[in-house]
Amino acid sequence: MAKRKQKKTTSAQSSDALRRNGLQAFKRRDYSAAIAVWERAYKQRPDGQTAVALAEAHFRRGVSALGSSEAALADLQRAHQLQPDDDCYAHHLALTLHRLGRPSEAQPLYQKIYQGKSPFAKRVTYPLALALLQQGENPANHPVWAALSEAEQTMLQFGLSPQQVAADEGSPFWRGILALQNGSFAQADDLLRQTLDKPESLLQQAAAHYALGLIAAQAEDWRAARRHWQTAYNSG
C-alpha cells in the first residue's frame, strides 16, 4: 500500500514539474517547447488548468504561423478541441478553414459563434454569409442577412469576395485584408493603418483594428494585439 501511495505521489510531482517547465518555456515564447511538456502533463493528468494553458500555447503558435495556413490549422484545431466553448479559438479556426477553401467546415463554427453572445458574434456575420453563398445557399434567406451592412449585402448579391472588391475598388481596407491573407504582413499593416486614417464606417474601423491585432500577434507582440482587439471590441 505504501509503495502504491509513493508511486502515485511521484507521478503527481512529475506532472507538476512538467507544468512548471512548460510555463517557463511559455514565458520565453517558446510555444513548441511549452506544448511538448504540457501535452505530456495533460496526458498524465488531464485537468482543466493544463487544458487552458495548452490551448493558449497552441493558439499562439497557430496565430504566429498564419502565413502558412496549413501549419496553423493543426494548432488552431487542437486549441479548439481543448477549449470548444472559447469563441476566440473557434473564430480563428473558422477563418483559417475558410482561407484554405473549406467553407463547409468553417460554416458550423461561424454559426455557433453567431448564435452566441461573445464579441465575436458580430465579426462572423460576413464570413458566415459568404460561406453560405460559396456552398450554393442564398444568404438572404438566413437570419444573418439582417446583421449585414448594405455594402456587405451588395457584395454578396453580386457574389463578390473581399479579394474581388479589393481588385475592383482599390480599397485600402480590402487590399489590407487580402495582403494579410497572403501573409504579406508589412503591406497589410500599412494598408490597414491607412484605413484607420479615414474609415468608411465604425464596423470597418473595428475590423481594421482586429486585423492589426492579428498582425501584432503574428509578431508575438501580445500587448499590441490585445490593445487592437480591445479597441475593435469598443468600436463595436
Side-chain angles (χ1 to χ4, degrees):
M1 183 66 71
K3 288 183 178 179
R4 287 184 182 177
K5 187 174 181 180
Q6 183 179 2
K7 184 176 180 181
K8 189 173 182 179
T9 302
T10 302
S11 176
Q13 289 174 342
S14 175
S15 180
D16 289 341
L18 288 171
R19 287 184 180 83
R20 289 194 296 271
N21 291 340
L23 182 59
Q24 291 174 359
F26 186 86
K27 288 180 177 179
R28 297 195 307 269
R29 299 182 180 180
D30 187 349
Y31 303 123
S32 294
I35 288 168
V37 292
W38 276 342
E39 287 284 9
R40 287 171 56 197
Y42 189 69
K43 186 176 181 180
Q44 285 185 17
R45 194 171 68 191
D47 64 285
Q49 185 178 1
T50 305
V52 169
L54 188 52
E56 182 65 16
H58 274 290
F59 170 70
R60 292 196 181 195
R61 188 172 71 174
V63 170
S64 299
L66 281 178
S68 176
S69 294
E70 289 287 358
L73 181 60
D75 277 317
L76 296 175
Q77 286 175 323
R78 180 59 171 152
H80 178 62
Q81 179 187 41
L82 288 161
Q83 297 292 300
D85 294 326
D86 190 308
D87 281 354
C88 177
Y89 298 159
H91 181 235
H92 283 82
L93 174 58
L95 290 175
T96 300
L97 287 166
H98 206 162
R99 190 178 299 121
L100 290 170
R102 295 155 68 172
S104 63
E105 295 175 64
Q107 182 193 332
L109 293 167
Y110 289 143
Q111 184 68 41
K112 182 180 177 182
I113 297 168
Y114 173 68
Q115 292 174 335
K117 296 181 180 180
S118 77
F120 291 91
K122 292 182 180 180
R123 299 175 190 170
V124 300
T125 53
Y126 186 82
L128 171 57
L130 181 61
L132 290 167
L133 182 66
Q134 290 171 329
Q135 295 175 87
E137 299 182 44
N138 185 353
N141 297 330
H142 191 281
V144 75
W145 188 257
L148 298 171
S149 68
E150 289 185 10
E152 290 170 329
Q153 290 176 353
T154 301
M155 286 163 55
L156 290 164
Q157 286 170 336
F158 283 95
L160 296 177
S161 68
Q163 291 90 329
Q164 291 169 307
V165 173
D168 292 343
E169 298 183 3
S171 163
F173 173 72
W174 289 118
R175 285 164 55 210
I177 295 300
L178 179 59
L180 176 60
Q181 291 178 336
N182 291 336
S184 301
F185 299 116
Q187 181 185 11
D189 185 271
D190 180 61
L191 289 165
L192 291 166
R193 291 185 187 279
Q194 288 181 37
T195 300
L196 291 180
D197 290 337
K198 195 175 180 180
E200 296 177 7
S201 65
L202 284 175
L203 180 62
Q204 189 180 88
Q205 178 178 303
H209 274 294
Y210 181 73
L212 285 167
L214 291 178
I215 295 170
Q218 189 275 335
E220 298 190 12
D221 186 349
W222 298 104
R223 180 177 295 180
R226 284 192 293 269
R227 185 176 66 251
H228 280 298
W229 290 338
Q230 185 61 50
T231 304
Y233 175 67
N234 293 339
S235 299

